[in-house]
Amino acid sequence: MISKIKKLKKIAAITMARNDDFFLERWIKYYGSELGNENLYIYLDGEDQKIPANSGKAHIEKFPHINMSRAAGDKYRINKLSELAKELLKKYDIVIGCDCDEFLIVDPAVKKTLSEYLSELKINTSVSGLGLDVGQNLNIEKILDKGLPLLQQRQYALLSTRYTKPVVINKPIKWGSGFHSIHGHNFHIDKNLYLLHFGAVDMQMLIDKASARGSDWVNHLRRRGNGTINAVTTLSARNENWLKIARIIQTYTRPIYAMDKPAMFGLKRVIKIPSRFKESNV
């Protein structure tokens, strides 16, 4: 629950989803508990999409699904979400935009809710959390129990520049596809914010999704595996000191081909997620 403090800012969270009930319901549960369901705005890609059972007072709008290439589809979706954020910033102080399998958390050591922390944070157009790509360690972690919190079952993550996204904004901007960048703006990575991505949280879930696309996709996945899952399964996990190291590297390093995105010199580092992160209830 949100504790009452003075000058709590108005914060909205937005996302778009298609055929992703599992994560969308958890996205609503998490951000609803942090911000209030009435401050959630969800676009559903397809008039055939079901309204999540736990949506409550969340604002949900369906759009006809349009078959497009992946790149065109990504651009179409992010443009709609950028326009939504622009409109919301007329009545909200802050907007959080992310995919439905991504959860922005405050380090529990700070002892503040997400709304409290962001309300007190000085934001210069945008702020990012350090990206953690959570994966299943196939050697020691079982198939996901969908009735339990995710971080109670997964303890490893790949430090990922891909998920160090500028998901928090306080001014109208134009996001790049997937919220990965903001055109014309640099990154500001906060020391206590983390963006947890759960797309690779369970191999069986990935296989089930692949099966809907055909046997070739399943065979490819079984043969090549998933990059994040392969990493957390095979690489030695580092301690949380690497959270600070990665944040410093990503703050000052940019790839030549994308100066509005962070880099890490190609380093691939797996960390053991601090046990206190379970307090986030993700």
Side-chain angles (χ1 to χ4, degrees), residues 9-12 38-39 41 59 84-95:
K9 292 183 178 178
K10 285 179 62 77
I11 305 173
E38 68 277 10
N39 297 311
Y41 295 79
H59 306 268
L84 173 60
K86 179 180 179 180
E87 287 302 309
L88 290 176
L89 284 169
K90 294 176 181 179
K91 61 178 180 178
Y92 285 94
D93 301 300
I94 296 170
V95 172

Side-chain angles (χ1 to χ4, degrees), residues 169-184:
I169 61 171
N170 65 353
K171 296 177 184 177
I173 50 83
K174 185 177 181 181
W175 274 300
S177 295
F179 303 97
H180 290 290
S181 63
I182 293 176
H183 300 295

Side-chain angles (χ1 to χ4, degrees), residues 3 14 51 65 110 127 131 143 188 205 209 220 278 282:
S3 60
I14 65 176
I51 302 293
H65 177 66
V110 177
V127 70
I143 292 176
H188 305 280
M205 286 177 62
K209 283 186 176 181
H220 177 80
K278 295 178 184 176
V282 172

